[in-house]
Amino acid sequence: MAEKVFITCAVTGSSPMPAHPNFPFRPDHVAAEALAAAQAGASIIHLHVRDRETGVPSQSLDDYREVVGLIRQKNDAVILNVTTGPGCTWMQSAEDPAVAGPGTLMFTAERRLEHILELKPDMCTLDICTMNLWGGVAINLDPMITRMGEMIQDAGVMPEIECFEAGDFVFADDLMAKGALPKNAPYSFVLGTKYGLPATTEAMMYCKNQVPRGARWTGFGVSRHSFPMAAQAVLLGGNVRVGFEDTIYLRRGQLANDNASLVHWGAELIERLGGEIATVGETREMLGLAH
């Protein structure tokens, strides 16, 4: 178990909106949830944005700018970790398998990083998987990820390597070897997607054993696996992620009121397992981020 454990809160995500009366999607609500999560003990806030009218996932620079600005007006210390995931989804046409079908969203590296280069958050996630995901294929091939990794580093932003399946760790090693990713980049293990790594003790142990010695990592499970995998991460020396992106429940049948409630449960879990929650300053030290 690590001496200190930091908590990431993923406040809204990009999946279809769940049936929850307080699920945040308007910029002011997303920012308020982020600020409350930070107050509850989250050192890192993972951000997506959504359309303020419909709640569907947004890729608008203006939406990112508004949410980040609202958070920074009231909290300039919490670590902001902004997604770069949108723009890698390919859906196959039913008429012609060689043609992209409805729902395809493929961007250039520059478009996927537009908000990162403009806003320069502390961190950004970098999905490196190519796999069956969300009814289509997530495509993140070497030329794209190499370009993105170089641009992220040039912007002075720390990438967090998101691994969804076993081969992602080999890919990460190759990217680091050629300088496309920094040697000290942290990892997150996404466990429990349908065709990815399962949410099991064995899978998390495998993931831990693939990352470079001393690398910081966060392991988390989606949906009902959120808190069981949070506990597993703590016991294996990793860090914790909670939030409405991953689950809206505290336990089966019990909705969380808000993201802060999930952070409180995560913090209590860490403490009951004998861990100590890292402050924002300590988390910055652990990740090599500027204060």
Side-chain angles (χ1 to χ4, degrees), residues 28-78:
D28 60 333
H29 194 183
V30 173
E33 286 284 297
L35 290 164
Q39 186 69 31
S43 293
I44 302 174
I45 302 298
H46 176 53
L47 289 173
H48 290 254
V49 293
R50 293 175 178 266
D51 182 88
R52 71 188 64 225
E53 302 297 333
T54 65
V56 301
S58 170
Q59 295 83 46
S60 165
L61 175 58
D62 287 341
D63 289 337
Y64 283 110
R65 186 185 290 116
E66 183 173 359
V67 171
V68 169
L70 288 169
I71 295 170
R72 285 298 184 223
Q73 283 175 16
K74 296 187 176 180
N75 188 331
D76 62 0
V78 69

Side-chain angles (χ1 to χ4, degrees), residues 6-290:
F6 60 75
I7 300 174
T8 296
C9 184
V11 296
T12 186
S14 61
S15 298
M17 287 217 303
H20 190 291
N22 194 41
F23 190 85
F25 63 92
R26 299 185 316 276
D28 60 333
H29 194 183
V30 173
E33 286 284 297
L35 290 164
Q39 186 69 31
S43 293
I44 302 174
I45 302 298
H46 176 53
L47 289 173
H48 290 254
V49 293
R50 293 175 178 266
D51 182 88
R52 71 188 64 225
E53 302 297 333
T54 65
V56 301
S58 170
Q59 295 83 46
S60 165
L61 175 58
D62 287 341
D63 289 337
Y64 283 110
R65 186 185 290 116
E66 183 173 359
V67 171
V68 169
L70 288 169
I71 295 170
R72 285 298 184 223
Q73 283 175 16
K74 296 187 176 180
N75 188 331
D76 62 0
V78 69
I79 298 164
L80 296 185
N81 179 351
V82 182
T83 186
T84 68
C88 70
T89 302
W90 191 85
M91 311 293 284
Q92 192 171 60
S93 168
E95 290 75 28
D96 184 348
V99 174
T104 295
L105 190 69
M106 296 295 293
F107 292 157
T108 64
E110 289 75 11
R111 177 67 180 87
R112 285 180 68 175
L113 295 176
E114 178 185 38
H115 56 299
I116 303 300
L117 303 181
E118 169 83 14
L119 302 173
K120 293 185 171 58
D122 304 283
M123 301 175 65
C124 66
T125 54
L126 184 61
D127 300 350
I128 64 170
C129 61
T130 295
M131 62 180 288
N132 282 283
L133 197 64
W134 306 309
V137 181
I139 300 178
N140 292 290
L141 302 181
D142 187 282
M144 171 68 76
I145 299 304
T146 295
R147 175 75 174 140
M148 290 179 70
E150 291 170 349
M151 292 171 68
I152 291 166
Q153 292 182 84
D154 288 345
V157 177
M158 173 66 79
E160 179 186 52
I161 307 167
E162 287 213 334
C163 296
F164 284 74
E165 59 179 0
D168 293 347
F169 298 98
V170 182
F171 189 18
D173 287 344
D174 290 347
L175 291 164
M176 284 186 176
K178 63 179 176 179
L181 290 175
K183 299 285 189 182
N184 63 333
Y187 289 75
S188 61
F189 313 151
V190 186
L191 306 182
T193 60
K194 187 169 184 180
Y195 300 115
L197 289 157
T200 63
T201 300
E202 292 81 5
M204 192 176 290
M205 180 73 79
Y206 169 84
C207 294
K208 174 189 174 179
N209 289 339
Q210 305 312 304
V211 302
R213 184 180 297 276
R216 302 292 180 179
W217 60 272
T218 298
F220 68 95
V222 299
S223 189
R224 64 188 176 88
H225 304 296
S226 178
F227 282 104
M229 289 298 100
Q232 190 65 83
V234 175
L235 293 172
L236 289 176
N239 299 283
V240 167
R241 170 170 142 166
V242 295
F244 275 176
E245 176 171 352
D246 304 327
T247 185
I248 57 174
Y249 289 94
L250 293 171
R251 59 160 62 99
R252 185 174 182 179
Q254 183 179 350
L255 285 173
N257 291 329
D258 48 28
N259 277 282
S261 299
L262 293 169
V263 174
H264 282 303
W265 271 50
E268 183 176 354
L269 180 151
I270 292 166
E271 291 173 339
R272 284 181 178 271
L273 290 174
E276 187 174 347
I277 299 159
T279 65
V280 174
E282 289 167 339
T283 303
R284 287 187 177 276
E285 291 288 343
M286 291 162 70
L287 295 173
L289 297 171

